[in-house]
Amino acid sequence: MEADDKYRFVAGVVVVRNPTVSLKVNNTEDDIHSPYRQPNKKLYLCVKKPRNDHAWQFPQGGIKKKESIQQGALRELKEECGEDIKVELMDRSHPVCIYQYDFPAEFLKRSKRKYIGAKVGFAPHEHRRDI
């Protein structure tokens, strides 16, 4: 992503678990925390942020110097979801999308941020049970 003094660069990760009819894991059908529930449906990983409104979002966070979107996305995934999660990068050359937004005015007033918003590059990953 190009440099921009007004927007914070952020790496996000979209983790998808594609449908699989061969997946049989006991006692997971109703467990909302299990990536193996509802094996016939496509599932996406969202994390609950500890905020007043309990926002749900894809795992994401600031990109470190000399870090690619893909590297930052994987690091953020491990930080937010733990080292045990197994994923495989689906596209090594491009983010799936770039989303830019402004922070709400009341957030800027109380946080005294350097940036007026964020520019998020999302790297697509597939959940893998076998790696």
Side-chain angles (χ1 to χ4, degrees):
M1 289 190 291
E2 294 180 20
D4 188 328
D5 293 337
K6 296 194 281 185
Y7 292 90
R8 179 178 183 228
F9 292 126
V10 176
V13 58
V14 177
V15 177
V16 62
R17 199 273 343 258
N18 285 308
T20 174
V21 292
S22 63
L23 188 60
K24 299 284 185 201
V25 180
N26 292 333
N27 302 320
T28 60
E29 185 63 31
D30 296 323
D31 180 2
I32 65 167
H33 299 100
S34 173
Y36 309 116
R37 72 187 186 286
Q38 300 180 348
N40 59 336
K41 294 183 179 178
K42 182 182 277 195
L43 299 178
Y44 293 90
L45 173 69
C46 290
V47 293
K48 185 176 176 182
K49 294 298 190 173
R51 298 187 182 122
N52 290 340
D53 57 358
H54 298 294
W56 288 85
Q57 66 183 43
F58 293 120
Q60 60 183 282
I63 297 175
K64 296 182 177 182
K65 286 185 179 183
K66 298 184 180 181
E67 190 174 56
S68 70
I69 291 173
Q70 293 81 359
Q71 290 167 330
L74 189 57
R75 178 184 47 76
E76 286 295 330
L77 178 65
K78 300 287 184 185
E79 286 177 9
E80 295 186 20
C81 299
E83 294 289 328
D84 293 337
I85 190 164
K86 301 204 181 340
V87 296
E88 182 176 352
L89 185 60
M90 295 167 68
D91 184 345
R92 298 189 183 280
S93 57
H94 300 92
V96 68
C97 74
I98 296 175
Y99 175 66
Q100 179 176 303
Y101 63 92
D102 293 339
F103 296 136
E106 57 276 2
F107 175 77
L108 289 171
K109 283 181 199 172
R110 63 185 143 88
S111 69
K112 298 181 180 175
R113 296 248 173 181
K114 173 182 168 182
Y115 304 102
I116 65 166
K119 186 183 284 190
V120 187
F122 287 99
H125 286 72
E126 183 176 10
H127 177 264
R128 298 297 302 261
R129 183 175 183 199
D130 57 333
I131 56 176

